[in-house]
Amino acid sequence: MSAKIGTRGLMGTFLRSFLIQSSWNYRTMLGSGFGFVLVPGLRALFRERREELDDALGRHLEHFNAHPYMASVALGATLRLESEGEDAETIRRFKTAVRGPLGGLGDALVWATWLPVVSMLAVAGYWLGAPGWAAATGFLILYNMGHVGLRVWGFRTGLEAGRAVGGRLAAAQLSLWTDRLRSSGVLVLGVLVGALLGGAGGLGDAGILWTALAALGFILGLSVGHQVWRPAAVLAVAAIAILATWGTLR
């Protein structure tokens, strides 16, 4: 399969995947970007067969929506199916089947977990004394290590597995990684709150009462923070924000 597309076609497709959201719209969502990304690979597959290339590109400009990072799985698998000569309807059904799971997995892993955890780490580092440029640079490096790594892994997995990519996703246990990151996020949140409340200008300067309350919140967050229901979590975050603001303004 790789021989049919060639290194240039594969690299061109992967690099274009970083622009998959550039033409996002309410009608096709990621569909236009999906077709744009596949152009190098499709050109390598169909070469002089211009009519077949136009047909293939046309069907990949249809509606498609998934998490932009996890879309690389569908891109790789779609290239695999095209190289194997699968008919248009089979490819269309495959894309329809995977877009929902890829969207759910990506949202939970990246937007709801990886991005908040790395952001809290950067902010905690800043409040613990790191220069602003160092905290920002650390965030960019760490976040993009996960971001780019996920794209590379997804594209390779799709290319290797094709229509069997569902089994590979299940074996990867991305949901388990999400749960582990969330547990780590609770610890990071505790460190961040401790840095905000105990640092200069925080609640530590507001007296023993506020310091004791901050310590209690820190302990509760570490012990049961990952088990609370979402409404309770929202209330806890709101309370911490109010207390932090009060302590800072005093």
Side-chain angles (χ1 to χ4, degrees), residues 141-173:
I141 292 174
L142 185 57
Y143 178 77
N144 284 299
M145 284 176 61
H147 155 224
V148 177
L150 184 61
R151 285 183 184 268
V152 172
W153 173 83
F155 190 61
R156 291 184 60 182
T157 298
L159 283 172
E160 294 170 359
R163 69 169 66 193
V165 75
R168 294 288 295 274
L169 287 173
Q173 297 183 313

Side-chain angles (χ1 to χ4, degrees), residues 56-244:
L57 181 58
R59 62 176 172 263
H60 292 305
L61 291 173
E62 298 173 353
H63 178 274
F64 182 83
N65 194 38
H67 191 278
Y69 302 172
M70 293 297 292
S72 60
V73 177
L75 290 165
T78 298
L79 269 186
R80 174 69 178 262
L81 294 176
E82 289 284 4
S83 70
E84 293 174 346
E86 292 288 352
D87 62 274
E89 186 58 29
T90 297
I91 297 175
R92 183 177 291 110
R93 288 178 179 176
F94 169 79
K95 290 172 61 180
T96 301
V98 300
R99 64 189 183 188
L102 292 179
L105 286 171
D107 287 348
L109 178 61
V110 180
W111 298 152
T113 308
W114 181 243
L115 178 59
V117 169
V118 178
S119 299
M120 288 189 295
L121 274 174
V123 176
Y126 174 75
W127 274 85
L128 289 172
W133 65 266
T137 302
F139 166 81
L140 291 173
I141 292 174
L142 185 57
Y143 178 77
N144 284 299
M145 284 176 61
H147 155 224
V148 177
L150 184 61
R151 285 183 184 268
V152 172
W153 173 83
F155 190 61
R156 291 184 60 182
T157 298
L159 283 172
E160 294 170 359
R163 69 169 66 193
V165 75
R168 294 288 295 274
L169 287 173
Q173 297 183 313
L174 294 182
S175 296
L176 178 60
W177 281 102
T178 300
D179 292 339
R180 289 174 176 172
L181 282 171
R182 283 176 179 168
S183 297
S184 301
V186 174
L187 176 60
V188 175
L189 179 59
V191 173
L192 173 58
V193 172
L196 287 171
L197 303 184
L203 289 182
D205 295 337
I208 187 64
L209 176 61
W210 295 112
T211 303
L213 288 173
L216 177 61
F218 179 76
I219 294 171
L220 289 175
L222 286 178
S223 59
V224 298
H226 62 290
Q227 298 176 350
V228 298
W229 293 349
R230 183 170 296 179
V234 172
L235 289 175
V237 171
I240 290 171
I242 292 171
L243 292 175

